[in-house]
Amino acid sequence: MLLTTSNGTGMGHLSRQLAVALALGERASTSLVSMSAAAPVLRAAGIASEYLPDYTRGWMPRSSWPGYLAERLAATLHETGARVVVFDGVAPYPGLRLLRRWRPDVAFVWFRRGLWRPGHNRRALAAAAVFDLVLEPGDLAAPADSGATRGLAAVRLAPVALTESVPALPREAAVERLGLDPSKQTLLVTLGLGSLEAQRPSLGSAAVRRALRDPGWQVALTRAPAPGSATFDSLTSGSDPALAHRVVDLHGVHPLVAYVSAFDAAVSAAGYNAVHELLPSGVPTVLVPFLSTTDDQTARARYCAGRGWALVAHDDTEVETAVGRLLDRDERLRLRRAGGSIATGGGGAAQAADAILQLAGPEGFTGHASGLRERVAAARVDLVRRLGPEASDSIRWLLRRPRYVGTRRPLRLRLRDDRDGSAVPAPGELLVTERLDAALLAGGDPVEVLLAGASGGYRDARIAVARRYYHLNG
């Protein structure tokens, strides 16, 4: 199986695919290619993983990126021998259409979360024809779904969460491993939405300030493991420096569900993973909906609050007020009891794994026959790939379409083949390496990350792909 994820704004895509990979277990050989800078957490969990830079990194002309994506994934398919590609994201990229045309013998699965904001992202649904199977993970707030995916054909699963396969540690062990003070109660503040989190760090700092006013409480603070995320200082801004010892930075801790027993309450974004991990685990939670995501976090938060499962806050003042309510023992007890009544059905990752395995079987997939619209769309991507970015820009100008923002020509770089995994990227270099860690991806220099233990043929194929999209010396 080749699992792929878009960049996203948080850990949702990665965590769901990790849950599926764990559910597949030894029944399949699983590799993951992600556009998220948080990809190292998957390799740390034992999943063969790579990072694929998306067009927002600005390392190549925007018009070149769909072809690069298709060629990158084609090389990985050849290396791994994968029979199924699973894409987790809300908008399948044009490069996937080209890959589909090249590999009709491989099954394609769209892992498509529901509960989209009304009127949002409707154009992406046309890509469903590329896929042989659409899987929709269940949502606690499904009755509130009024988005574009409601009622569309899909195999609907139970909610998918890492709680299926990652057991929670006993409280004492979780507190010790996180470095928390066992004599105090702990408020988890997890608004880890990458650049969105950085735009509104005051939400997190409001929660931290209010909790620290009570001497019996400490704060466990997470941050998104991605470039552009909020800093620890920005999330603790306004707090009394003398109380800093009561704030513990959980940056890089994953998966958080293993430590859920350490938390007495939480302030969290109303994203899919947080809701389906914290609430059924009985953690009294304030949900903070973000408005710039594809999923309708406002609808999810309001539905959960309406059922008595959580509190909701939208701005700094409401966050402080809601945290004050969470510090009350009776309020926490009420929310904990309500959370304990949630019947998720469970097993969504196992259901997804079974469906994917069935598709991979000898009778589950016999090849994909593309329709005319698919062939035309793939041919358009292939034409742009063959013409190159300068010709593509000229065509967009003739069609009176705005030119893409960003670099117009391939970068001129020196090739550095890092075979022992010890090199550090330098300005003007393209590093080809099996190394995959947060520091490497946080930098601004282009990198080509290979699967650990990749064959020499795969390394050569990947360097050949890089030569087609960068001007390389060496």
Side-chain angles (χ1 to χ4, degrees), residues 65 177 237 273 312 319 321 324 343 366 374 419 427:
W65 188 79
R177 292 194 190 183
S237 175
N273 284 57
V312 179
V319 166
T321 300
T366 56
E374 287 180 73
R419 291 184 177 269

Side-chain angles (χ1 to χ4, degrees), residues 409-465:
R409 295 178 176 82
L411 299 179
R412 293 187 176 275
L413 303 166
R414 296 183 303 276
L415 176 66
R416 186 171 188 183
D417 193 352
D418 177 33
R419 291 184 177 269
D420 63 6
S422 62
V424 177
E429 286 187 345
L430 174 67
L431 189 68
V432 179
T433 181
E434 291 184 8
R435 180 180 151 214
L436 179 60
D437 58 46
L440 177 72
L441 303 188
D445 301 300
V447 292
E448 288 286 317
V449 178
L450 308 176
L451 292 167
S455 68
Y458 183 55
R459 182 179 291 269
D460 292 342
R462 288 287 305 282
I463 290 174
V465 171

Side-chain angles (χ1 to χ4, degrees), residues 242-290:
L243 304 178
H245 65 282
R246 285 164 49 200
V247 182
V248 177
D249 189 2
L250 302 187
H251 189 53
V253 174
H254 189 272
L256 203 60
V257 293
Y259 305 94
V260 71
S261 60
F263 310 126
D264 300 281
V267 176
S268 171
Y272 182 93
N273 284 57
V275 166
H276 293 88
E277 291 173 359
L278 291 174
L279 301 193
S281 297
V283 180
T285 301
V286 175
L287 295 175
V288 182
F290 281 71

Side-chain angles (χ1 to χ4, degrees), residues 5 22 44 72 90 109 115 131 159 204 240 243 258 271 290 301 309 321 330 342 364 372 400 417 423 451 456 468:
T5 79
L22 294 175
R72 270 286 310 264
V90 297
V109 177
L115 200 69
F131 297 92
D240 186 343
L243 304 178
F290 281 71
W309 298 336
T321 300
D330 290 340
I342 295 174
L372 178 60
R400 297 184 178 181
D417 193 352
L451 292 167
R468 286 193 283 275

